[in-house]
Amino acid sequence: MFLKNRISYPTSLAARLTLWYASSLLLLFGLLFFSLYVAMATSFDREMNEDLLDDVEELQDIYQELGIASLLREVNQEILTEDPDHFFIRLSETNGNVILQSDLSGWSGLLDPYSLYQILLTHEDEFYLHRIKHESLEVQTITGLISDDLIIYLGESMEAKTEVLTLLLTVSLVVFTTLLPIGVLIGRWMSSKAVSGIKEVSRAADKIAQGSLDFRVDLNAHGDEVIELIHKFNDMADQIRKLISEMREMTDNIAHDLRSPLARIRAISETVLSSSEAQQDYKKAASDTLEECDRLLHMINMTLDVAEAEANVREPITEDVNLSELTEDACELYCPLAETKQIKLSTHLEDNCSVRGNKHTLQRMLTNLIDNAVKYTPEHGEILIELCRSENDAVVTIADTGIGIPDPEKQRIFDRFYRCDQSRTQEGCGLGLSYSRAVARAHGGDITLQAQPSVSASPLSHSSMSAAMNSVFVVSLPASVMRN
């Protein structure tokens, strides 16, 4: 338990990469050494067996061509020239009688000629290769028939093989002990190089956490994966900065929009407290106060609705909504107000356009857009509302001849609490378009503001109005098949 508690494993990525590099180097070196060791051992065995076979075949040829006298001279020559400590030879008859042999005083435990003959008969072959252990050395031997009544028995020490393999093992250990620290250093350098980009991202995260929102990670040659991480991190940092900037702006807008009704409530209260008028004036003051409170509550509720729509945390979308009927109902709702302002409200609605979504939020989205069109279109203006299918989408187009939106402000009209200068004179809190776009996106669609439509590419394909459209909002939602 004590040793287990004392063992610690590297926790940093650089240390683990170094360990993996070193382990890979050890494994590669081990496989290389093992392959070389096996190849050399196999090569030694094959060459030795071939040499022994050649010797036996040579003696067979001498006997067959020159007779027993020449065979004895050749065997005797082998005895005189070879080292008896590393080589032996014995010529005998099949009945066990030894004819000629080298000094076998140092080769105890050799098989007798008769036993060798029985082995040859058992294997039904002219040769029999086998290896024996002689003290601390291995000896490769061969037994062969020279004729029907003569047996040759040869043996050669494998000391040369042992020495070479031992030398290979020694060299390998020396190379291993030399390469291991070098491999660790190289692995450390490579791992440090590999994680340098991650460390830069970490340092950038610390800088951003300390408030330096403009700090970014420089793109250097760190590898595709790290470069992609840096791109993602920089994009995230840009988004964070944008969100914080929007939050600050939204806070300023909220403070501005809350300050006006609160100031009016305070002014009303001060007026009532300093006044000695009749009870009717107190009732009016109370009514004005309630009106301002209702405005504040509406602003707060709209802010929460926008947040819920953008986070898509409302009830699941489980119903098919007939967008044609929903749009028609919304248009009928605003027809009286349009008539009051003498605004021509035209509709071209394709039947049975269906989307899958939340009927309540889609209805609020449409009424927000139509309400804006009616509110900002002056008297005797025109509004056109169209609904049609476009490939797999249901597209609602709301166009009007209202006051329009200046080009510099078109990119910000969907921001929370943002109101154009022209719309400041109208009631509102600047959350209607933000809410509508959040609802559209929660349903897999979007809302866009288009420029004045051209004749060749206009979403208002059925329009016959001659007046120019100053504002064109296009709502695109994934269409679904109506269920009967």
Side-chain angles (χ1 to χ4, degrees):
M1 179 64 72
F2 176 76
L3 290 176
K4 184 177 180 181
N5 293 333
R6 289 293 300 274
I7 296 176
S8 60
Y9 297 95
T11 56
S12 68
L13 179 59
R16 290 200 298 270
L17 286 175
T18 302
L19 180 61
W20 294 337
Y21 287 138
S23 300
S24 300
L25 179 63
L26 291 178
L27 179 61
L28 181 62
F29 181 81
L31 291 175
L32 179 62
F33 167 74
F34 178 77
S35 301
L36 182 61
Y37 187 92
V38 171
M40 291 188 67
T42 304
S43 177
F44 267 109
D45 291 342
R46 183 175 61 253
E47 290 180 2
M48 183 170 291
N49 290 338
E50 291 176 355
D51 289 343
L52 292 175
L53 283 171
D54 290 342
D55 290 342
V56 172
E57 290 175 352
E58 182 181 355
L59 293 176
Q60 287 177 335
D61 293 339
I62 292 174
Y63 177 78
Q64 292 173 4
E65 295 177 4
L66 302 176
I68 185 64
S70 297
L71 175 63
L72 292 176
R73 283 196 299 271
E74 183 64 27
V75 171
N76 189 60
Q77 184 66 28
E78 292 285 342
I79 293 173
L80 294 175
T81 55
E82 296 292 340
D83 184 359
D85 293 331
H86 297 90
F87 177 83
F88 69 83
I89 183 170
R90 180 171 62 189
L91 179 65
S92 60
E93 297 177 343
T94 55
N95 59 10
N97 293 327
V98 177
I99 299 175
L100 188 63
Q101 67 180 11
S102 61
D103 182 9
L104 299 180
S105 59
W107 299 93
S108 59
L110 295 179
L111 294 175
D112 60 86
Y114 185 74
S115 298
L116 294 174
Y117 180 64
Q118 296 299 319
I119 292 175
L120 289 174
L121 293 178
T122 303
H123 287 79
E124 299 181 352
D125 202 346
E126 293 184 357
F127 307 103
Y128 177 66
L129 289 163
H130 59 287
R131 187 172 299 177
I132 62 174
K133 265 286 192 180
H134 177 67
E135 297 180 355
S136 61
L137 293 178
E138 281 187 321
V139 181
Q140 182 66 42
T141 66
I142 186 172
T143 304
L145 285 174
I146 299 298
S147 64
D148 293 338
D149 55 353
L150 293 177
I151 302 174
I152 190 70
Y153 186 26
L154 297 174
E156 187 173 351
S157 170
M158 303 184 69
E159 184 178 3
K161 170 190 172 182
T162 304
E163 290 177 353
V164 172
L165 294 180
T166 302
L167 179 61
L168 175 62
L169 179 60
T170 303
V171 171
S172 300
L173 290 176
V174 173
V175 173
F176 170 77
T177 54
T178 304
L179 287 182
L180 181 59
I182 298 176
V184 171
L185 292 177
I186 295 176
R188 182 64 180 178
W189 177 78
M190 293 178 63
S191 62
S192 300
K193 195 74 174 175
V195 302
S196 59
I198 300 176
K199 291 181 179 179
E200 290 182 15
V201 173
S202 179
R203 285 194 294 270
D206 291 337
K207 291 285 186 181
I208 293 175
Q210 294 171 8
S212 301
L213 298 180
D214 294 328
F215 192 86
R216 295 294 180 270
V217 183
D218 294 331
L219 287 176
N220 297 318
H222 298 294
D224 293 341
E225 295 83 359
V226 178
I227 288 177
E228 183 179 0
L229 172 63
I230 292 174
H231 277 300
K232 297 294 185 183
F233 179 85
N234 288 338
D235 291 342
M236 180 193 68
D238 291 337
Q239 187 67 18
I240 290 173
R241 183 179 62 178
K242 179 182 177 183
L243 290 174
I244 292 178
S245 177
E246 291 178 352
M247 288 174 60
R248 289 172 178 171
E249 184 176 354
M250 185 182 68
T251 303
D252 294 339
N253 291 331
I254 291 176
H256 179 272
D257 290 337
L258 289 179
R259 182 172 58 187
S260 297
L262 288 175
R264 284 192 290 270
I265 291 173
R266 179 178 178 83
I268 294 170
S269 301
E270 289 178 348
T271 302
V272 171
L273 289 175
S274 61
S275 175
S276 59
E277 300 295 333
Q279 184 177 2
Q280 186 66 26
D281 295 329
Y282 289 104
K283 290 183 177 181
K284 184 179 183 307
S287 176
D288 292 341
T289 301
L290 288 175
E291 183 179 347
E292 296 299 333
C293 289
D294 289 340
R295 182 182 175 190
L296 289 174
L297 288 174
H298 174 70
M299 185 186 304
I300 293 172
N301 290 334
M302 278 297 295
T303 303
L304 294 176
D305 289 341
V306 172
E308 286 183 354
E310 289 181 346
N312 197 17
V313 296
R314 288 183 176 271
E315 59 270 17
I317 300 173
T318 56
E319 59 180 330
D320 283 329
V321 180
N322 191 324
L323 195 61
S324 301
E325 295 180 357
L326 205 64
T327 307
E328 184 177 1
D329 293 341
C331 292
E332 290 178 357
L333 178 66
Y334 281 91
C335 276
L337 181 59
E339 290 177 357
T340 301
K341 297 180 64 175
Q342 299 181 6
I343 295 174
K344 181 182 178 182
L345 197 156
S346 304
T347 59
H348 297 282
L349 308 179
E350 186 175 327
D351 294 334
N352 295 327
C353 281
S354 176
V355 297
R356 190 158 181 79
N358 184 291
K359 183 176 181 179
H360 173 68
T361 57
L362 289 172
Q363 186 179 42
R364 286 188 64 183
M365 176 192 71
L366 291 173
T367 55
N368 280 341
L369 295 172
I370 298 174
D371 180 75
N372 277 351
V374 175
K375 183 187 298 183
Y376 296 113
T377 300
E379 292 184 358
H380 308 290
E382 298 182 44
I383 298 174
L384 175 63
I385 300 174
E386 287 191 346
L387 170 62
C388 63
R389 284 182 177 271
S390 175
E391 296 182 354
N392 297 323
D393 293 334
V395 180
V396 181
T397 305
I398 302 172
D400 62 67
T401 59
I403 60 177
I405 302 171
D407 290 337
E409 298 183 346
K410 287 182 179 179
Q411 300 295 327
R412 304 191 59 193
I413 58 170
F414 291 105
D415 294 346
R416 296 186 190 182
F417 296 101
Y418 184 78
R419 302 180 69 189
C420 300
D421 292 337
Q422 297 96 318
S423 63
R424 293 270 177 201
T425 58
Q426 300 286 343
E427 292 185 1
C429 58
L431 291 171
L433 290 178
S434 299
Y435 176 79
S436 299
R437 186 178 66 170
V439 170
R441 289 182 173 179
H443 286 76
D446 203 356
I447 299 179
T448 57
L449 172 63
Q450 293 190 357
Q452 180 177 342
S454 62
V455 176
S456 60
S458 171
L460 309 175
S461 56
H462 303 286
S463 176
S464 59
M465 295 189 303
S466 59
M469 298 289 106
N470 291 328
S471 298
V472 181
F473 286 92
V474 179
V475 183
S476 178
L477 298 171
S480 64
V481 180
M482 284 292 295
R483 298 178 181 177
N484 297 325

